[in-house]
Amino acid sequence: MATRNDPPRPITDSAPKAAAQPDGRSLLTDYDVYLFKQGRHHTLYDKLGAQLVAGSRTARFALWAPNAKAVSVIGDFNDWRADANPLAPRADQSGIWEGSVAGATRGQRYKYRIETAHGQRIDKSDPFAFCSEAPPRTASCLWTLDYDWQDAPWMASRATANALDAPVSIYEVHLGSWRRDPLHPDQVLSYRDLAHALAAYVREMGFTHVELMPITEHPFYGSWGYQTTGYFAPTARYGAPQDFMYLVDYLHDSGIGVILDWVPSHFPNDPHGLADFDGTHLFEHADPRQGFHPEWNSCIFNYGRNEVRAFLISSARFWLDRYHIDGLRVDGVASILYLDYARRPGEWVPNVHGGRENLEAVTFLRELNEAVYAAHPDVQTIAEESTAWPQVSRPTYVGGLGFGLKWNMGWMHDTLAFFGRDPLFRQYHHNEITFSAWYAFTENFVLPLSHDEVVHGKGSLLGRMPGDDWQKFANLRCLLGYMWTHPGKKLLFMGGEFGQWREWTHEASLDWHLCEYPLHSGVQRWVRDLNHQYARAPALFSQDFRAEGFEWVDCSDASNSVIAFMRKSADGNSVALVVCNLTPITRRGYRVGVPRGGRWREVLNSDAQIYGGSGTGNLGVVDAREEPAHGRPWSVALTLPPLAVLCLQPE
């Protein structure tokens, strides 16, 4: 089994965990503080924040606020009185304030009252809180993370499901708008309500993983989770932490991996959050040319500060350690890497060499991936990186950033541009559909048709297709068939699998009623069959990241807008021929070279009537003749349906 080239294990990131101390004693050892200040403590969630003491009504609090004049805990347990429970600074100059509160129990709300060096008093949520009030309220909640996990079989075998040579088909989901109660369309479903329906649907459709848009706590629902304030708390909109654990557990029980969108690229400037945390720019850069994100109106983490890197890496580890998450899709990697991202000349500060690369951020990303893979070699980190930064998905010990996978934004852009064109003019833009093959193996790519492509006026995938309604559906089926047979893992945003007409909105459920109509149910069945055939055919997934697994048959027939290519497994036992007719013209007797004689079975045809097509095809099988074509000794004469993808395999 192919596995990821794991980077060397970094310096150990935590000392043996401190046992429960007598009331009033710190959970932080001197070694913990040393690692924190070095940026190498990656399990800070066990040490900082609020820790309830088992067997007693006591909570221990620890907060990093090095520039504060005074800190106290206010909450339900002391009637929100700032003078009741002051915290004391440690004597080691770490900037950590500590203390214990008697009478504290799970579920009680709290905040930190911070007096700044200038005498201002501000109330802040706990950066390490495990639970928060449901927005728009902003207090943190005392909580424990006890849960009886039932996913041991999945956890023992997930290395196979997450391997680079495995079939990976990801269904991207926004929990609040995937499905809602028809009787209460304004109300979101809970984690537990969603668990059974989502698992059953994803399993039936053949997706191997779900990717959840950020469930980390966020004050503004319209940010879709990408403006995070709670890096250790699942949003309370859908339930308690144990409810989210149940969702993950149930998906695992159904054989489905869970990937989380995780946002270390920026954070909002809400007054209860991380911004100006102790009266100073603690988590963000003070200089707005480095610390303010002009595109998202948010704050940028100071990756050069050791404690900030430890905070972020501890957050990443937290979701893997405590919630059994199988992968992290890291948002906005390009905005992390480039100092001039979304900035004009004069609005950014060059690095020490005068360049635009954020050197501190590069160090952070490498440390992040080393820490994740050292602790969990059977998960994947996935970079949403939109530039040509080299070796994003290569190990750090060869100079890479250390991610397991990278979104192929170039493929997405070119493919959608091509399919959005009138077929009459596609012959003049043939390179848009063929170019991706020339760089397909430079990274470990995921092919994303994500939420970003169906928002902000872009319309739905179906709505972006040209032609009348029949041609729109045919084009969409063709697009999806091309995607599933192209090298790379797959990601499709919810609604695209049944051809939703309208643009996605986070305020409403998907239009599930459309599945009652034949053309929509046909697209849905097509995606289901694509997934199941994909998982059955090693040729289509086992060499996604090796050039040996792909071979052009013909990439030059621009005048007919036809492409043909082979996919091959490493052992040569699985071979697939893919032919795409990208015009609405049926082509009969179209000869394509193949590597062997005998019968070739038509295992996929997007124009089949069961998918809403015209029913044109090759009656399920075609015989290869010893007639050379495309440099091969045998060939098949095919009927190419209009706007369709064919996939054939030798018997």
Side-chain angles (χ1 to χ4, degrees):
M1 180 183 70
T3 58
R4 190 182 185 283
N5 293 323
D6 296 320
R9 179 179 288 272
I11 300 170
T12 180
D13 57 12
S14 67
K17 291 183 181 178
Q21 301 291 332
D23 187 30
R25 291 187 58 187
S26 173
L27 293 178
L28 285 155
T29 66
D30 291 341
Y31 189 52
D32 286 321
V33 173
Y34 167 78
L35 289 173
F36 177 47
K37 293 172 71 173
Q38 292 294 312
R40 306 298 290 180
H41 200 311
H42 300 155
T43 54
L44 289 171
Y45 53 83
D46 281 333
K47 305 292 183 177
L48 296 178
Q51 307 289 337
L52 284 165
V53 179
S56 72
R57 291 168 57 86
T58 302
R60 295 195 179 91
F61 294 87
L63 179 72
W64 180 54
N67 303 303
K69 184 177 179 180
V71 178
S72 59
V73 184
I74 56 176
D76 292 336
F77 38 74
N78 62 16
D79 295 326
W80 298 85
R81 288 173 44 226
D83 61 342
N85 295 107
L87 302 184
R90 287 178 64 97
D92 52 19
Q93 307 301 312
S94 63
I96 296 173
W97 299 71
E98 297 178 300
S100 295
V101 173
T105 59
R106 189 167 107 162
Q108 289 181 321
R109 301 167 302 156
Y110 71 98
K111 281 188 176 182
Y112 296 106
R113 172 68 54 81
I114 297 174
E115 183 178 350
T116 72
H118 301 290
Q120 181 187 11
R121 291 176 175 83
I122 54 178
D123 293 346
K124 290 288 188 177
S125 300
D126 189 346
F128 286 89
F130 297 149
C131 182
S132 298
E133 285 188 289
R137 297 184 297 272
T138 60
S140 302
C141 297
L142 293 172
W143 211 263
T144 57
L145 298 179
D146 48 301
Y147 182 81
D148 184 17
W149 288 94
Q150 302 295 312
D151 64 349
W154 167 266
M155 296 296 284
S157 63
R158 72 174 177 180
T160 301
N162 285 340
L164 296 183
D165 63 352
V168 174
S169 178
I170 304 166
Y171 187 54
E172 187 189 19
V173 175
H174 178 262
L175 288 178
S177 59
W178 178 69
R179 183 173 293 173
R180 294 187 177 186
D181 185 340
L183 299 179
H184 305 282
D186 294 333
Q187 298 179 17
V188 299
L189 297 178
S190 71
Y191 293 120
R192 288 180 183 265
D193 290 336
L194 287 162
H196 295 255
L198 181 60
Y201 182 73
V202 170
R203 186 169 186 172
E204 177 191 0
M205 290 296 294
F207 290 98
T208 63
H209 295 70
V210 295
E211 180 177 314
L212 304 180
M213 292 170 66
I215 55 82
T216 42
E217 194 58 87
H218 48 285
F220 177 45
Y221 185 59
S223 77
W224 314 329
Y226 292 101
Q227 295 278 7
T228 295
T229 53
Y231 278 82
F232 297 83
T235 180
R237 289 176 176 87
Y238 314 125
Q242 280 75 9
D243 298 325
F244 180 59
M245 291 176 178
Y246 180 85
L247 171 61
V248 176
D249 206 11
Y250 197 85
L251 286 166
H252 284 173
D253 185 62
S254 301
I256 299 162
V258 182
I259 300 166
L260 287 190
D261 271 15
W262 182 66
V263 190
S265 49
H266 64 114
F267 60 91
N269 57 9
D270 294 69
H272 70 281
L274 299 177
D276 298 316
F277 188 78
D278 61 357
T280 67
H281 299 285
L282 190 62
F283 288 89
E284 72 275 23
H285 280 280
D287 188 333
R289 295 176 299 169
Q290 298 171 287
F292 177 75
H293 203 299
E295 190 172 61
W296 299 324
N297 193 32
S298 55
C299 301
I300 299 174
F301 284 104
N302 183 352
Y303 305 108
R305 178 166 280 169
N306 293 342
E307 295 89 345
V308 172
R309 294 201 310 278
F311 168 81
L312 288 171
I313 296 174
S314 291
S315 171
R317 279 283 306 271
F318 174 77
W319 298 103
L320 305 172
D321 296 348
R322 295 298 185 91
Y323 284 88
H324 293 200
I325 297 303
D326 305 295
L328 296 172
R329 178 265 197 185
V330 181
D331 181 68
V333 172
S335 73
I336 297 174
L337 288 171
Y338 293 100
L339 296 166
D340 63 345
Y341 186 90
R343 298 179 189 275
R344 293 172 294 189
E347 295 180 345
W348 55 282
V349 180
N351 62 33
V352 293
H353 305 297
R356 64 192 188 107
E357 299 81 10
N358 190 333
L359 303 180
E360 291 84 1
V362 171
T363 298
F364 158 67
L365 292 173
R366 287 172 173 163
E367 288 182 359
L368 165 70
N369 286 308
E370 288 176 353
V372 165
Y373 283 110
H376 298 282
D378 54 352
V379 306
Q380 291 290 358
T381 59
I382 307 167
E384 187 224 5
E385 204 285 312
S386 55
T387 74
W389 188 284
Q391 300 194 98
V392 171
S393 59
R394 296 294 181 261
T396 58
Y397 58 79
V398 298
L401 293 182
F403 286 94
L405 298 163
K406 173 186 172 176
W407 275 21
N408 192 337
M409 308 296 278
W411 172 89
M412 175 276 298
H413 181 272
D414 289 347
T415 299
L416 289 180
F418 180 87
F419 274 92
R421 300 185 188 281
D422 187 312
L424 180 65
F425 303 109
R426 287 176 178 173
Q427 61 181 310
Y428 306 113
H429 302 274
H430 198 66
N431 63 302
E432 289 178 340
I433 204 69
T434 61
F435 179 63
S436 60
W438 306 112
Y439 63 87
F441 311 105
T442 59
E443 299 276 5
N444 300 335
F445 280 124
V446 175
L447 309 181
L449 292 179
S450 74
H451 68 276
D452 279 329
E453 311 320 314
V454 293
V455 293
H456 301 319
K458 297 175 184 175
S460 66
L461 290 179
L462 179 61
R464 295 169 72 166
M465 299 296 105
D468 58 22
D469 283 0
W470 190 93
Q471 288 195 19
K472 285 181 182 293
F473 280 95
N475 270 301
L476 179 59
R477 294 192 304 270
C478 188
L479 163 64
L480 296 171
Y482 165 70
M483 172 180 174
W484 253 258
T485 53
H486 188 286
K489 308 310 180 188
K490 325 301 175 191
L491 180 141
L492 182 64
F493 183 59
M494 63 183 199
E497 81 277 12
F498 61 79
Q500 177 156 301
W501 273 112
R502 64 174 173 86
E503 187 174 272
W504 171 64
T505 172
H506 61 278
E507 295 287 6
S509 170
L510 296 180
D511 295 332
W512 291 103
H513 65 278
L514 294 176
C515 296
E516 300 173 7
Y517 299 94
L519 286 174
H520 292 279
S521 63
V523 175
Q524 188 180 43
R525 182 168 182 172
W526 172 238
V527 172
R528 185 190 68 186
D529 289 354
L530 279 173
N531 273 328
H532 288 292
Q533 178 60 30
Y534 168 65
R536 285 193 296 265
L540 295 177
F541 62 80
S542 62
Q543 294 203 95
D544 271 326
F545 311 129
R546 296 173 58 86
E548 295 84 354
F550 176 87
E551 180 182 338
W552 278 118
V553 176
D554 187 1
C555 62
S556 60
D557 190 4
S559 60
N560 290 314
S561 290
V562 173
I563 58 173
F565 54 87
M566 303 287 302
R567 298 294 308 279
K568 298 175 286 184
S569 63
D571 58 14
N573 292 329
S574 179
V575 178
L577 170 66
V578 180
V579 185
C580 306
N581 179 15
L582 304 167
T583 69
I585 300 171
T586 301
R587 305 190 186 280
R588 303 186 186 278
Y590 193 95
R591 190 160 294 278
V592 179
V594 292
R596 65 182 73 169
R599 288 193 145 192
W600 287 68
R601 183 162 298 279
E602 189 179 75
V603 295
L604 290 170
N605 178 349
S606 67
D607 192 55
Q609 289 182 329
I610 57 173
Y611 306 132
S614 68
T616 304
N618 298 278
L619 301 178
V621 68
V622 64
D623 291 315
R625 296 173 50 183
E626 198 169 351
E627 182 174 332
H630 298 120
R632 292 160 180 82
W634 294 276
S635 62
V636 291
L638 299 173
T639 296
L640 304 185
L643 293 171
V645 172
L646 300 179
C647 181
L648 300 96
Q649 292 189 279
E651 290 188 346

